[in-house]
PDB file of all heavy atoms in Angstrom:
ATOM      1  N   GLY A   1       0.785  -1.229  -0.018  1.00 89.00           N
ATOM      2  CA  GLY A   1       0.002  -0.012  -0.001  1.00 89.00           C
ATOM      3  C   GLY A   1       0.809   1.282   0.012  1.00 89.00           C
ATOM      4  O   GLY A   1       0.269   2.383  -0.058  1.00 89.00           O
ATOM      5  N   GLY A   2       2.130   1.092   0.103  1.00 92.00           N
ATOM      6  CA  GLY A   2       2.990   2.300   0.006  1.00 92.00           C
ATOM      7  C   GLY A   2       3.519   2.821   1.340  1.00 92.00           C
ATOM      8  O   GLY A   2       4.234   3.846   1.329  1.00 92.00           O
ATOM      9  N   THR A   3       3.237   2.168   2.426  1.00 96.00           N
ATOM     10  CA  THR A   3       3.783   2.610   3.674  1.00 96.00           C
ATOM     11  C   THR A   3       5.257   2.245   3.747  1.00 96.00           C
ATOM     12  O   THR A   3       5.643   1.127   3.415  1.00 96.00           O
ATOM     13  CB  THR A   3       3.040   1.947   4.875  1.00 96.00           C
ATOM     14  OG1 THR A   3       1.667   2.341   4.814  1.00 96.00           O
ATOM     15  CG2 THR A   3       3.604   2.416   6.206  1.00 96.00           C
ATOM     16  N   THR A   4       6.079   3.163   4.167  1.00 98.00           N
ATOM     17  CA  THR A   4       7.565   2.992   4.150  1.00 98.00           C
ATOM     18  C   THR A   4       8.170   2.947   5.541  1.00 98.00           C
ATOM     19  O   THR A   4       7.625   3.480   6.508  1.00 98.00           O
ATOM     20  CB  THR A   4       8.234   4.097   3.319  1.00 98.00           C
ATOM     21  OG1 THR A   4       7.875   5.327   3.916  1.00 98.00           O
ATOM     22  CG2 THR A   4       7.803   4.024   1.855  1.00 98.00           C
ATOM     23  N   TYR A   5       9.331   2.300   5.602  1.00 98.00           N
ATOM     24  CA  TYR A   5      10.148   2.297   6.822  1.00 98.00           C
ATOM     25  C   TYR A   5      11.567   2.577   6.365  1.00 98.00           C
ATOM     26  O   TYR A   5      12.035   2.121   5.292  1.00 98.00           O
ATOM     27  CB  TYR A   5      10.114   0.937   7.494  1.00 98.00           C
ATOM     28  CG  TYR A   5      11.331   0.654   8.290  1.00 98.00           C
ATOM     29  CD1 TYR A   5      11.466   1.110   9.607  1.00 98.00           C
ATOM     30  CD2 TYR A   5      12.403  -0.052   7.739  1.00 98.00           C
ATOM     31  CE1 TYR A   5      12.601   0.866  10.366  1.00 98.00           C
ATOM     32  CE2 TYR A   5      13.562  -0.303   8.494  1.00 98.00           C
ATOM     33  CZ  TYR A   5      13.639   0.198   9.802  1.00 98.00           C
ATOM     34  OH  TYR A   5      14.806  -0.058  10.529  1.00 98.00           O
ATOM     35  N   TYR A   6      12.307   3.326   7.173  1.00 98.00           N
ATOM     36  CA  TYR A   6      13.753   3.621   6.895  1.00 98.00           C
ATOM     37  C   TYR A   6      14.551   3.412   8.156  1.00 98.00           C
ATOM     38  O   TYR A   6      14.110   3.832   9.230  1.00 98.00           O
ATOM     39  CB  TYR A   6      13.916   5.039   6.400  1.00 98.00           C
ATOM     40  CG  TYR A   6      13.221   5.322   5.092  1.00 98.00           C
ATOM     41  CD1 TYR A   6      11.981   5.929   5.080  1.00 98.00           C
ATOM     42  CD2 TYR A   6      13.832   5.005   3.884  1.00 98.00           C
ATOM     43  CE1 TYR A   6      11.294   6.179   3.879  1.00 98.00           C
ATOM     44  CE2 TYR A   6      13.171   5.218   2.686  1.00 98.00           C
ATOM     45  CZ  TYR A   6      11.910   5.808   2.681  1.00 98.00           C
ATOM     46  OH  TYR A   6      11.233   6.071   1.516  1.00 98.00           O
ATOM     47  N   ALA A   7      15.703   2.818   8.011  1.00 98.00           N
ATOM     48  CA  ALA A   7      16.630   2.782   9.089  1.00 98.00           C
ATOM     49  C   ALA A   7      17.130   4.180   9.404  1.00 98.00           C
ATOM     50  O   ALA A   7      17.205   5.049   8.518  1.00 98.00           O
ATOM     51  CB  ALA A   7      17.856   1.900   8.682  1.00 98.00           C
ATOM     52  N   ASP A   8      17.447   4.399  10.668  1.00 98.00           N
ATOM     53  CA  ASP A   8      17.877   5.776  11.062  1.00 98.00           C
ATOM     54  C   ASP A   8      19.062   6.261  10.276  1.00 98.00           C
ATOM     55  O   ASP A   8      19.167   7.465   9.981  1.00 98.00           O
ATOM     56  CB  ASP A   8      18.247   5.779  12.583  1.00 98.00           C
ATOM     57  CG  ASP A   8      17.006   5.663  13.456  1.00 98.00           C
ATOM     58  OD1 ASP A   8      15.869   5.891  12.994  1.00 98.00           O
ATOM     59  OD2 ASP A   8      17.165   5.326  14.640  1.00 98.00           O
ATOM     60  N   SER A   9      19.932   5.345   9.845  1.00 97.00           N
ATOM     61  CA  SER A   9      21.148   5.752   9.159  1.00 97.00           C
ATOM     62  C   SER A   9      20.882   6.310   7.754  1.00 97.00           C
ATOM     63  O   SER A   9      21.744   6.993   7.196  1.00 97.00           O
ATOM     64  CB  SER A   9      22.090   4.550   9.017  1.00 97.00           C
ATOM     65  OG  SER A   9      21.466   3.467   8.380  1.00 97.00           O
ATOM     66  N   VAL A  10      19.708   6.030   7.199  1.00 98.00           N
ATOM     67  CA  VAL A  10      19.417   6.515   5.839  1.00 98.00           C
ATOM     68  C   VAL A  10      18.202   7.436   5.812  1.00 98.00           C
ATOM     69  O   VAL A  10      17.893   8.004   4.717  1.00 98.00           O
ATOM     70  CB  VAL A  10      19.202   5.334   4.878  1.00 98.00           C
ATOM     71  CG1 VAL A  10      20.383   4.375   4.956  1.00 98.00           C
ATOM     72  CG2 VAL A  10      17.882   4.630   5.113  1.00 98.00           C
ATOM     73  N   LYS A  11      17.564   7.641   6.926  1.00 98.00           N
ATOM     74  CA  LYS A  11      16.350   8.436   6.945  1.00 98.00           C
ATOM     75  C   LYS A  11      16.609   9.864   6.469  1.00 98.00           C
ATOM     76  O   LYS A  11      17.577  10.474   6.881  1.00 98.00           O
ATOM     77  CB  LYS A  11      15.766   8.464   8.345  1.00 98.00           C
ATOM     78  CG  LYS A  11      14.303   8.806   8.464  1.00 98.00           C
ATOM     79  CD  LYS A  11      13.805   8.609   9.904  1.00 98.00           C
ATOM     80  CE  LYS A  11      13.804   7.159  10.313  1.00 98.00           C
ATOM     81  NZ  LYS A  11      13.220   6.912  11.646  1.00 98.00           N
ATOM     82  N   GLY A  12      15.720  10.321   5.544  1.00 98.00           N
ATOM     83  CA  GLY A  12      15.922  11.681   5.016  1.00 98.00           C
ATOM     84  C   GLY A  12      16.862  11.761   3.769  1.00 98.00           C
ATOM     85  O   GLY A  12      16.912  12.760   3.160  1.00 98.00           O
ATOM     86  N   ARG A  13      17.548  10.644   3.506  1.00 98.00           N
ATOM     87  CA  ARG A  13      18.426  10.621   2.348  1.00 98.00           C
ATOM     88  C   ARG A  13      17.992   9.627   1.307  1.00 98.00           C
ATOM     89  O   ARG A  13      18.191   9.799   0.106  1.00 98.00           O
ATOM     90  CB  ARG A  13      19.858  10.269   2.792  1.00 98.00           C
ATOM     91  CG  ARG A  13      20.432  11.289   3.811  1.00 98.00           C
ATOM     92  CD  ARG A  13      21.930  10.939   4.091  1.00 98.00           C
ATOM     93  NE  ARG A  13      22.092   9.655   4.664  1.00 98.00           N
ATOM     94  CZ  ARG A  13      22.833   8.689   4.104  1.00 98.00           C
ATOM     95  NH1 ARG A  13      23.457   8.866   2.962  1.00 98.00           N
ATOM     96  NH2 ARG A  13      22.980   7.489   4.725  1.00 98.00           N
ATOM     97  N   PHE A  14      17.425   8.526   1.701  1.00 98.00           N
ATOM     98  CA  PHE A  14      16.969   7.434   0.812  1.00 98.00           C
ATOM     99  C   PHE A  14      15.445   7.484   0.645  1.00 98.00           C
ATOM    100  O   PHE A  14      14.742   7.772   1.627  1.00 98.00           O
ATOM    101  CB  PHE A  14      17.412   6.073   1.291  1.00 98.00           C
ATOM    102  CG  PHE A  14      18.880   5.801   1.245  1.00 98.00           C
ATOM    103  CD1 PHE A  14      19.824   6.790   1.002  1.00 98.00           C
ATOM    104  CD2 PHE A  14      19.362   4.525   1.487  1.00 98.00           C
ATOM    105  CE1 PHE A  14      21.186   6.520   0.969  1.00 98.00           C
ATOM    106  CE2 PHE A  14      20.707   4.226   1.448  1.00 98.00           C
ATOM    107  CZ  PHE A  14      21.617   5.251   1.176  1.00 98.00           C
ATOM    108  N   THR A  15      14.975   7.108  -0.516  1.00 98.00           N
ATOM    109  CA  THR A  15      13.540   6.953  -0.745  1.00 98.00           C
ATOM    110  C   THR A  15      13.268   5.635  -1.476  1.00 98.00           C
ATOM    111  O   THR A  15      13.853   5.417  -2.544  1.00 98.00           O
ATOM    112  CB  THR A  15      12.994   8.156  -1.564  1.00 98.00           C
ATOM    113  OG1 THR A  15      13.294   9.357  -0.946  1.00 98.00           O
ATOM    114  CG2 THR A  15      11.473   8.002  -1.770  1.00 98.00           C
ATOM    115  N   ILE A  16      12.406   4.851  -0.870  1.00 98.00           N
ATOM    116  CA  ILE A  16      12.025   3.587  -1.504  1.00 98.00           C
ATOM    117  C   ILE A  16      10.663   3.768  -2.161  1.00 98.00           C
ATOM    118  O   ILE A  16       9.805   4.477  -1.668  1.00 98.00           O
ATOM    119  CB  ILE A  16      11.976   2.452  -0.465  1.00 98.00           C
ATOM    120  CG1 ILE A  16      11.760   1.102  -1.130  1.00 98.00           C
ATOM    121  CG2 ILE A  16      10.928   2.710   0.603  1.00 98.00           C
ATOM    122  CD1 ILE A  16      11.945  -0.108  -0.214  1.00 98.00           C
ATOM    123  N   SER A  17      10.486   3.134  -3.349  1.00 96.00           N
ATOM    124  CA  SER A  17       9.230   3.161  -4.054  1.00 96.00           C
ATOM    125  C   SER A  17       9.061   1.811  -4.796  1.00 96.00           C
ATOM    126  O   SER A  17      10.010   1.041  -4.899  1.00 96.00           O
ATOM    127  CB  SER A  17       9.183   4.308  -5.042  1.00 96.00           C
ATOM    128  OG  SER A  17      10.230   4.236  -6.000  1.00 96.00           O
ATOM    129  N   ARG A  18       7.862   1.562  -5.252  1.00 92.00           N
ATOM    130  CA  ARG A  18       7.575   0.339  -5.894  1.00 92.00           C
ATOM    131  C   ARG A  18       6.575   0.503  -6.997  1.00 92.00           C
ATOM    132  O   ARG A  18       5.724   1.412  -6.949  1.00 92.00           O
ATOM    133  CB  ARG A  18       7.096  -0.750  -4.906  1.00 92.00           C
ATOM    134  CG  ARG A  18       5.750  -0.444  -4.278  1.00 92.00           C
ATOM    135  CD  ARG A  18       5.445  -1.376  -3.097  1.00 92.00           C
ATOM    136  NE  ARG A  18       5.283  -2.745  -3.507  1.00 92.00           N
ATOM    137  CZ  ARG A  18       5.295  -3.781  -2.669  1.00 92.00           C
ATOM    138  NH1 ARG A  18       5.491  -3.599  -1.362  1.00 92.00           N
ATOM    139  NH2 ARG A  18       5.030  -4.996  -3.122  1.00 92.00           N
ATOM    140  N   ASP A  19       6.691  -0.349  -8.025  1.00 89.00           N
ATOM    141  CA  ASP A  19       5.711  -0.416  -9.113  1.00 89.00           C
ATOM    142  C   ASP A  19       5.252  -1.849  -9.181  1.00 89.00           C
ATOM    143  O   ASP A  19       5.902  -2.712  -9.735  1.00 89.00           O
ATOM    144  CB  ASP A  19       6.395   0.005 -10.437  1.00 89.00           C
ATOM    145  CG  ASP A  19       5.405   0.063 -11.601  1.00 89.00           C
ATOM    146  OD1 ASP A  19       4.360  -0.635 -11.567  1.00 89.00           O
ATOM    147  OD2 ASP A  19       5.688   0.816 -12.519  1.00 89.00           O
ATOM    148  N   ASN A  20       4.103  -2.110  -8.547  1.00 82.00           N
ATOM    149  CA  ASN A  20       3.611  -3.490  -8.489  1.00 82.00           C
ATOM    150  C   ASN A  20       3.301  -4.056  -9.843  1.00 82.00           C
ATOM    151  O   ASN A  20       3.536  -5.264 -10.078  1.00 82.00           O
ATOM    152  CB  ASN A  20       2.371  -3.548  -7.565  1.00 82.00           C
ATOM    153  CG  ASN A  20       2.665  -3.249  -6.127  1.00 82.00           C
ATOM    154  OD1 ASN A  20       3.766  -3.364  -5.680  1.00 82.00           O
ATOM    155  ND2 ASN A  20       1.614  -2.813  -5.423  1.00 82.00           N
ATOM    156  N   ALA A  21       2.796  -3.208 -10.702  1.00 83.00           N
ATOM    157  CA  ALA A  21       2.435  -3.757 -12.074  1.00 83.00           C
ATOM    158  C   ALA A  21       3.686  -4.196 -12.828  1.00 83.00           C
ATOM    159  O   ALA A  21       3.613  -5.109 -13.634  1.00 83.00           O
ATOM    160  CB  ALA A  21       1.714  -2.674 -12.825  1.00 83.00           C
ATOM    161  N   GLU A  22       4.803  -3.521 -12.554  1.00 86.00           N
ATOM    162  CA  GLU A  22       6.057  -3.863 -13.254  1.00 86.00           C
ATOM    163  C   GLU A  22       6.962  -4.761 -12.444  1.00 86.00           C
ATOM    164  O   GLU A  22       8.093  -5.032 -12.852  1.00 86.00           O
ATOM    165  CB  GLU A  22       6.806  -2.562 -13.629  1.00 86.00           C
ATOM    166  CG  GLU A  22       6.043  -1.672 -14.604  1.00 86.00           C
ATOM    167  CD  GLU A  22       5.894  -2.349 -15.940  1.00 86.00           C
ATOM    168  OE1 GLU A  22       6.744  -3.119 -16.381  1.00 86.00           O
ATOM    169  OE2 GLU A  22       4.816  -2.110 -16.609  1.00 86.00           O
ATOM    170  N   ASN A  23       6.482  -5.198 -11.256  1.00 89.00           N
ATOM    171  CA  ASN A  23       7.346  -6.045 -10.373  1.00 89.00           C
ATOM    172  C   ASN A  23       8.693  -5.415 -10.118  1.00 89.00           C
ATOM    173  O   ASN A  23       9.738  -6.070 -10.353  1.00 89.00           O
ATOM    174  CB  ASN A  23       7.502  -7.446 -10.993  1.00 89.00           C
ATOM    175  CG  ASN A  23       6.220  -8.267 -10.910  1.00 89.00           C
ATOM    176  OD1 ASN A  23       5.287  -7.895 -10.216  1.00 89.00           O
ATOM    177  ND2 ASN A  23       6.249  -9.418 -11.592  1.00 89.00           N
ATOM    178  N   THR A  24       8.709  -4.150  -9.748  1.00 93.00           N
ATOM    179  CA  THR A  24       9.966  -3.444  -9.585  1.00 93.00           C
ATOM    180  C   THR A  24       9.925  -2.603  -8.297  1.00 93.00           C
ATOM    181  O   THR A  24       8.863  -2.026  -7.946  1.00 93.00           O
ATOM    182  CB  THR A  24      10.255  -2.522 -10.742  1.00 93.00           C
ATOM    183  OG1 THR A  24      10.201  -3.240 -11.984  1.00 93.00           O
ATOM    184  CG2 THR A  24      11.611  -1.857 -10.645  1.00 93.00           C
ATOM    185  N   VAL A  25      11.065  -2.615  -7.605  1.00 95.00           N
ATOM    186  CA  VAL A  25      11.231  -1.782  -6.421  1.00 95.00           C
ATOM    187  C   VAL A  25      12.436  -0.896  -6.671  1.00 95.00           C
ATOM    188  O   VAL A  25      13.469  -1.374  -7.218  1.00 95.00           O
ATOM    189  CB  VAL A  25      11.438  -2.656  -5.176  1.00 95.00           C
ATOM    190  CG1 VAL A  25      11.651  -1.759  -3.952  1.00 95.00           C
ATOM    191  CG2 VAL A  25      10.231  -3.546  -4.937  1.00 95.00           C
ATOM    192  N   TYR A  26      12.378   0.323  -6.255  1.00 97.00           N
ATOM    193  CA  TYR A  26      13.463   1.298  -6.446  1.00 97.00           C
ATOM    194  C   TYR A  26      13.955   1.826  -5.123  1.00 97.00           C
ATOM    195  O   TYR A  26      13.257   1.818  -4.085  1.00 97.00           O
ATOM    196  CB  TYR A  26      12.962   2.500  -7.261  1.00 97.00           C
ATOM    197  CG  TYR A  26      12.360   2.108  -8.591  1.00 97.00           C
ATOM    198  CD1 TYR A  26      10.968   2.014  -8.740  1.00 97.00           C
ATOM    199  CD2 TYR A  26      13.180   1.891  -9.709  1.00 97.00           C
ATOM    200  CE1 TYR A  26      10.420   1.661  -9.970  1.00 97.00           C
ATOM    201  CE2 TYR A  26      12.596   1.550 -10.926  1.00 97.00           C
ATOM    202  CZ  TYR A  26      11.250   1.438 -11.043  1.00 97.00           C
ATOM    203  OH  TYR A  26      10.707   1.114 -12.257  1.00 97.00           O
ATOM    204  N   LEU A  27      15.215   2.241  -5.142  1.00 98.00           N
ATOM    205  CA  LEU A  27      15.802   2.961  -4.001  1.00 98.00           C
ATOM    206  C   LEU A  27      16.585   4.151  -4.500  1.00 98.00           C
ATOM    207  O   LEU A  27      17.637   4.006  -5.140  1.00 98.00           O
ATOM    208  CB  LEU A  27      16.719   2.033  -3.179  1.00 98.00           C
ATOM    209  CG  LEU A  27      17.220   2.626  -1.871  1.00 98.00           C
ATOM    210  CD1 LEU A  27      16.063   2.795  -0.876  1.00 98.00           C
ATOM    211  CD2 LEU A  27      18.320   1.764  -1.261  1.00 98.00           C
ATOM    212  N   GLN A  28      16.016   5.287  -4.288  1.00 98.00           N
ATOM    213  CA  GLN A  28      16.677   6.575  -4.616  1.00 98.00           C
ATOM    214  C   GLN A  28      17.601   6.935  -3.441  1.00 98.00           C
ATOM    215  O   GLN A  28      17.107   7.110  -2.337  1.00 98.00           O
ATOM    216  CB  GLN A  28      15.677   7.666  -4.901  1.00 98.00           C
ATOM    217  CG  GLN A  28      16.318   9.009  -5.228  1.00 98.00           C
ATOM    218  CD  GLN A  28      17.069   9.018  -6.518  1.00 98.00           C
ATOM    219  OE1 GLN A  28      16.617   8.464  -7.490  1.00 98.00           O
ATOM    220  NE2 GLN A  28      18.257   9.627  -6.515  1.00 98.00           N
ATOM    221  N   MET A  29      18.847   7.065  -3.727  1.00 98.00           N
ATOM    222  CA  MET A  29      19.828   7.355  -2.655  1.00 98.00           C
ATOM    223  C   MET A  29      20.497   8.709  -2.969  1.00 98.00           C
ATOM    224  O   MET A  29      21.161   8.874  -3.939  1.00 98.00           O
ATOM    225  CB  MET A  29      20.875   6.244  -2.606  1.00 98.00           C
ATOM    226  CG  MET A  29      20.321   4.866  -2.423  1.00 98.00           C
ATOM    227  SD  MET A  29      21.566   3.609  -2.160  1.00 98.00           S
ATOM    228  CE  MET A  29      22.444   3.680  -3.634  1.00 98.00           C
ATOM    229  N   ASN A  30      20.285   9.635  -2.066  1.00 98.00           N
ATOM    230  CA  ASN A  30      20.847  10.978  -2.165  1.00 98.00           C
ATOM    231  C   ASN A  30      21.815  11.279  -1.022  1.00 98.00           C
ATOM    232  O   ASN A  30      21.774  10.551  -0.010  1.00 98.00           O
ATOM    233  CB  ASN A  30      19.723  12.025  -2.199  1.00 98.00           C
ATOM    234  CG  ASN A  30      18.770  11.867  -3.358  1.00 98.00           C
ATOM    235  OD1 ASN A  30      19.163  11.429  -4.442  1.00 98.00           O
ATOM    236  ND2 ASN A  30      17.529  12.226  -3.117  1.00 98.00           N
ATOM    237  N   SER A  31      22.610  12.274  -1.174  1.00 98.00           N
ATOM    238  CA  SER A  31      23.542  12.673  -0.124  1.00 98.00           C
ATOM    239  C   SER A  31      24.346  11.487   0.408  1.00 98.00           C
ATOM    240  O   SER A  31      24.485  11.254   1.593  1.00 98.00           O
ATOM    241  CB  SER A  31      22.833  13.340   1.033  1.00 98.00           C
ATOM    242  OG  SER A  31      22.053  14.479   0.595  1.00 98.00           O
ATOM    243  N   LEU A  32      24.866  10.712  -0.537  1.00 98.00           N
ATOM    244  CA  LEU A  32      25.556   9.484  -0.175  1.00 98.00           C
ATOM    245  C   LEU A  32      26.785   9.757   0.632  1.00 98.00           C
ATOM    246  O   LEU A  32      27.519  10.759   0.414  1.00 98.00           O
ATOM    247  CB  LEU A  32      25.869   8.643  -1.394  1.00 98.00           C
ATOM    248  CG  LEU A  32      24.661   7.913  -1.998  1.00 98.00           C
ATOM    249  CD1 LEU A  32      24.913   7.493  -3.434  1.00 98.00           C
ATOM    250  CD2 LEU A  32      24.420   6.690  -1.145  1.00 98.00           C
TER     251      LEU A  32
END
């Protein structure tokens, strides 16, 4: 349903998303 969880070490920098129709999950990583 789109509810997310982030470890404290990446919170505010990483964003997870998913496309169920395409069977794909993404992780956008910023400020690495």
Side-chain angles (χ1 to χ4, degrees):
T3 301
T4 57
Y5 155 83
Y6 297 96
D8 287 344
S9 58
V10 306
K11 201 173 292 183
R13 300 187 297 121
F14 290 12
T15 303
I16 188 170
S17 59
R18 66 192 292 166
D19 185 334
N20 293 337
E22 296 296 326
N23 287 350
T24 306
V25 179
Y26 304 99
L27 187 68
Q28 177 67 43
M29 307 187 296
N30 299 328
S31 302
L32 282 160

